[in-house]
Amino acid sequence: MASIEELGGVRWPPPADDATSVIRRCHELRRVCLGDLTPEGLRLLVSQRVGEALVLPAVVRLLVDDPLVSGDMFFGDLLAAVLRLPPDAWAARVEEREALRRAVSELVNAPPSEGRRASVDQELRTAAAAFVAQ
């Protein structure tokens, strides 16, 4: 599998000497094969909207399998990053959005007694419910 740089055909110049660690990490992640990106790498790319058209399908597949898969920030952080995307991110991804909506709906509507749902914080639960309602 290819990287964002290879698939997108755009090679970014090296980051500036004073670039933040987030910018440096995004530059690095653009050169990683998509299949090798970790949930944390995907979370960072989605939250920075880097290579979005290329990474979003992989992110949705991961979240459909496990909506609460997490990177390094907090429980459900990949889902939280995806839920913050503006509606235009989904304009050309109707089927993927619907698959994610179904997976998130199951999470939102699961009985409180189910362990993983109980540990989802209220902010994430509210964002997930709003995504489902759209």
Side-chain angles (χ1 to χ4, degrees), residues 116-129:
R116 292 192 81 190
R117 183 180 184 271
S119 61
V120 177
D121 76 6
Q122 186 58 45
E123 185 176 336
L124 181 56
R125 191 171 296 144
T126 299

Side-chain angles (χ1 to χ4, degrees), residues 66-68 75 102-121 125:
D66 181 2
L68 297 176
F75 189 65
R102 283 191 306 270
V104 171
S105 178
E106 290 175 20
L107 175 70
V108 169
N109 295 320
S113 61
E114 292 184 19
R116 292 192 81 190
R117 183 180 184 271
S119 61
V120 177
D121 76 6
R125 191 171 296 144

Side-chain angles (χ1 to χ4, degrees), residues 14-95:
D17 291 340
D18 62 347
T20 66
S21 60
V22 169
I23 290 172
R24 290 182 184 285
R25 185 69 181 135
C26 286
H27 276 257
E28 292 169 10
L29 291 170
R30 284 179 45 82
R31 294 188 302 270
V32 173
C33 289
L34 288 177
D36 294 336
L37 289 167
T38 65
E40 175 58 18
L42 291 168
R43 182 202 64 77
L44 182 59
L45 290 169
V46 167
S47 66
Q48 298 300 310
R49 298 194 74 183
V50 173
E52 182 179 288
L54 298 169
V55 300
L56 204 49
V59 168
V60 169
R61 282 191 302 274
L62 217 85
L63 291 172
V64 164
D65 287 342
D66 181 2
L68 297 176
V69 67
S70 300
D72 296 345
M73 299 296 288
F74 57 88
F75 189 65
D77 61 359
L78 181 56
L79 178 59
V82 169
L83 295 177
R84 283 192 291 272
L85 289 172
D88 71 309
W90 299 103
R93 295 175 189 82
V94 175
E95 291 177 20

